[in-house]
Amino acid sequence: MPLTLQRQDLLPARHFIGGEWCEASDARRLDVSDPATNAVFASVPDGTAADARAAVEAAHAAFDGWRKVPAKQRAQTIKRWNDLIVAHQDDLGRLISREQGKPLAEGKGEVLYAASYVEWFAEEATRITGDIIPAPVPGRRMFAFKEPVGVIAAITPWNFPAAMIARKIAPALAAGCTVVCKPAEDTPLTSLALVKLAEEAGVPPGVLNIVTASRERTPEVVDVWLDDPRVRKITFTGSTPVGKHLARRSADTLKKLSLELGGNAPFIVFDDADVDAAVEGLMVSKFRNGGQTCVCPNRIYVQAGVYDAFVAKLAARVGALVVGPASDPASQIGPMINARAVEKIERHVQDAVAGGARVLTGGTRLPALGANYFAPTVLVDANASMACSCEETFGPVAPVTRFDTEAEVILAANATPFGLAAYFYSNDVRRIWRLADALESGIVGINEGALAAEAAPFGGVKDSGYGREGSTHGLDEYMHFKYVCQGSLSA
Ligand SMILES: NC(=O)c1ccc[n+]([C@@H]2O[C@H](COP(=O)([O-])OP(=O)(O)OC[C@H]3O[C@@H](n4cnc5c(N)ncnc54)[C@H](O)[C@@H]3O)[C@@H](O)[C@H]2O)c1
Ligand SMILES: O=C[C@H](O)CS(=O)(=O)O
């Protein structure tokens, strides 16, 4: 069934290149389906290398003009974009939920989350300063200017179709860069709608360009940007294997990189924790977007003294979660994005059970609801050798492991190549700072499960990537220093 919006023109369903909405160079189209039913409800261009080249040409041609626009004027344009996003929260929220599957309340919430980054970088645009450096010798004036790096390529995932692309485009425009971008093949419509609103906000032709592409054609499109020396930066959010591929392929043209990659977050509950608060914190962090976020707890460690109480409370809360389509306002857990995602989740649960884990609630698909639904699941007696402990499940599965000592759980928590988010619950002030120091991750939640915020530097370490999005540091990812020294000034 087609999606009806208040603003039907927010479904341009075409590329935006050089200020023009256009089809793919060979007119091929890519179907977009609703994860709740697998029914096709829209289509977008299936981009080609020629489309990717046209996008770079447009972005390169527009760069010099955009970088010279006064920062306050760039800020005003970006602020107008923010205001348009917020004004269309209902349409954009419904669009997100339809193409990604998350409950409508989460879809609408994501719109405001995306807008928070746009508003933040509209403000940061006017604070791009540099340094006046005290000269070490007479007769010199020394300066450090921050300059935009140039054309940037943004490649984004399907799990937050608005927020992930907004927190790349906004700082890029604020810095004075121009953009070519490619959203995930499962969720292209939201990005196209955001670009449509950016056009309305007055972003000049060529400054922001978007190419959509299927999984099969994505390498062809992105390879053009990887090989083009005019593309000075890749900002990527997605899986670690793809991130490493992009890093390798960026070496020949020495592109700047921001890589927001996969996670394997530990969630640790100590004997001195508030157990009810820990359960609620896990519910918020683990089951948001059906467990399909990079910062979802993937391994839950509970100290022996509170293990039974915590597990019983958790199983009761998880077993009560309402699973269903975004069209049902009561739904708390939606469908997974596609069949591959459900297959991976099922494999993790079956592997854990085969390894000795027990299912306290859930553990199976929900075919009566649809092919992409999986029951919210609590596993106990999980261990480090299981796939659910080594790989990112990216679904509504909470594997719980009992532990005895602090030293033991720190070793376990850090025993992963990933390092994006980590969480723990404790009321022991000394333990809190021992853990915050010891955990190998870019983000740490202490007695808190909801961490995302535009004012905070978001990003990981180790195989979770590098670079930070948001915060006062987020603009630096799109800029470089130019040191200027004027001599021969002696009186
Ligand atoms: N760190 C973060 O902020 C963050 C946020 C969201 C998702 N993720 C991670 O992303 C993964 C899930 O998202 P996903 O399935 O969309 O990831 P993915 O890596 O499969 O795809 C991400 C993007 O990369 C593109 N892509 C895929 N193969 C490519 C190739 N060979 N060349 C160029 N581009 C390619 C996709 O089309 C998509 O646009 C999880 O690992 C999750 O942890 C991380
Ligand atoms: O999935 C990855 C997102 O970056 C998570 S968050 O919405 O930024 O917390």
Side-chain angles (χ1 to χ4, degrees):
M1 181 169 67
L3 178 63
T4 305
L5 301 177
Q6 294 164 46
R7 279 278 310 269
Q8 206 61 25
D9 64 334
L10 287 181
L11 294 172
R14 282 169 294 160
H15 290 156
F16 188 62
I17 299 174
E20 299 295 328
W21 294 95
C22 55
E23 290 295 339
S25 61
D26 65 357
R28 206 163 94 169
R29 305 275 299 173
L30 163 66
D31 285 340
V32 183
S33 58
D34 177 350
T37 60
N38 282 331
V40 173
F41 72 96
S43 71
V44 296
D46 193 359
T48 64
D51 300 317
R53 281 191 291 272
V56 175
E57 289 298 338
H60 181 68
F63 173 57
D64 198 46
W66 180 244
R67 66 175 294 183
K68 289 173 180 169
V69 171
K72 183 160 185 171
Q73 195 178 318
R74 290 205 302 269
Q76 289 166 343
T77 300
I78 299 166
K79 182 64 171 67
R80 283 195 299 273
W81 186 33
N82 167 73
D83 296 344
L84 286 167
I85 292 170
V86 172
H88 293 87
Q89 181 189 12
D90 186 69
D91 270 353
L92 293 172
R94 291 174 59 236
L95 180 51
I96 291 169
S97 290
R98 188 67 178 276
E99 71 171 348
Q100 195 272 338
K102 64 183 66 175
L104 186 55
E106 289 194 41
K108 291 183 176 178
E110 184 187 339
V111 176
L112 298 185
Y113 179 43
S116 71
Y117 284 100
V118 179
E119 182 181 46
W120 176 266
F121 286 109
E123 295 162 354
E124 287 298 295
T126 61
R127 300 190 185 96
I128 300 172
T129 59
D131 300 325
I132 297 174
I133 304 160
V137 297
R140 282 188 178 180
R141 296 287 185 181
M142 297 167 60
F143 311 89
F145 294 94
K146 284 185 179 181
E147 295 188 337
V149 296
V151 176
I152 72 105
I155 303 156
T156 52
W158 48 262
N159 62 340
F160 289 86
M164 296 302 101
I165 204 162
R167 78 180 184 191
K168 295 176 183 305
I169 294 173
L173 299 185
C177 294
T178 53
V179 180
V180 296
C181 60
K182 192 211 73 73
E185 52 277 7
D186 290 302
T187 55
L189 298 171
T190 305
S191 297
L192 291 171
L194 290 179
V195 170
K196 174 71 176 172
L197 292 176
E199 180 192 22
E200 285 183 20
V203 174
V207 171
L208 174 56
N209 308 272
I210 184 167
V211 174
T212 53
S214 59
R215 195 170 183 82
E216 296 70 29
R217 278 196 168 177
T218 284
E220 168 186 337
V221 166
V222 176
D223 281 353
V224 168
W225 297 343
L226 288 167
D227 294 332
D228 193 319
R230 294 173 297 177
V231 175
R232 296 311 318 136
K233 176 184 173 72
I234 302 283
T235 174
F236 171 73
T237 297
S239 65
T240 292
V242 175
K244 289 183 174 180
H245 162 72
L246 297 175
R248 282 190 292 269
R249 290 279 284 107
S250 295
D252 287 346
T253 51
L254 285 180
K255 298 184 195 318
K256 199 175 171 82
L257 286 161
S258 295
L259 300 175
E260 301 287 353
L261 305 179
N264 185 8
F267 187 103
I268 305 166
V269 184
F270 287 99
D271 284 346
D272 56 74
D274 176 333
V275 171
D276 290 328
V279 169
E280 290 314 309
L282 183 58
M283 293 304 293
V284 164
S285 54
K286 174 70 236 188
F287 294 96
R288 175 171 164 240
N289 199 18
Q292 300 172 113
T293 93
C294 57
V295 291
C296 283
N298 206 56
R299 299 166 288 154
I300 293 100
Y301 300 99
V302 184
Q303 199 162 20
V306 294
Y307 184 86
D308 292 341
F310 179 87
V311 161
K313 289 173 185 274
L314 178 65
R317 289 281 280 108
V318 173
L321 286 169
V322 176
V323 185
S327 55
D328 178 351
S331 296
Q332 295 171 294
I333 302 289
M336 301 298 104
I337 186 68
N338 55 34
R340 283 196 315 278
V342 178
E343 286 156 13
K344 178 179 183 182
I345 295 163
E346 187 173 57
R347 173 172 60 85
H348 279 195
V349 170
Q350 291 174 346
D351 170 79
V353 170
R358 288 183 295 117
V359 176
L360 287 196
T361 186
T364 64
R365 296 169 180 252
L366 297 171
L369 284 174
N372 294 335
Y373 287 91
F374 200 89
T377 298
V378 174
L379 300 171
V380 291
D381 302 334
N383 65 51
S385 63
M386 295 170 181
C388 61
S389 300
C390 307
E391 303 169 19
E392 188 177 40
T393 301
F394 233 58
V397 176
V400 184
T401 301
R402 180 199 301 259
F403 75 93
D404 294 312
T405 69
E406 181 181 304
E408 163 198 350
V409 78
I410 289 173
L411 287 174
N414 288 336
T416 172
F418 297 96
L420 185 57
Y423 309 80
F424 66 90
Y425 276 71
S426 169
N427 286 305
D428 176 330
V429 291
R430 289 177 180 79
R431 164 173 286 160
I432 280 172
W433 292 108
R434 287 197 301 270
L435 266 286
D437 290 344
L439 290 170
E440 296 169 358
S441 68
I443 303 166
V444 176
I446 304 172
N447 299 329
E448 180 55 69
L451 306 179
E454 72 282 3
F458 186 102
V461 296
K462 303 197 301 187
D463 267 10
S464 292
Y466 45 77
R468 292 295 181 266
E469 296 192 308
S471 84
T472 55
H473 306 289
L475 267 182
D476 291 342
E477 301 287 337
Y478 296 89
M479 311 194 82
H480 56 221
F481 274 107
K482 177 180 281 180
Y483 159 44
V484 175
C485 176
Q486 182 176 8
S488 307
L489 292 173
S490 299

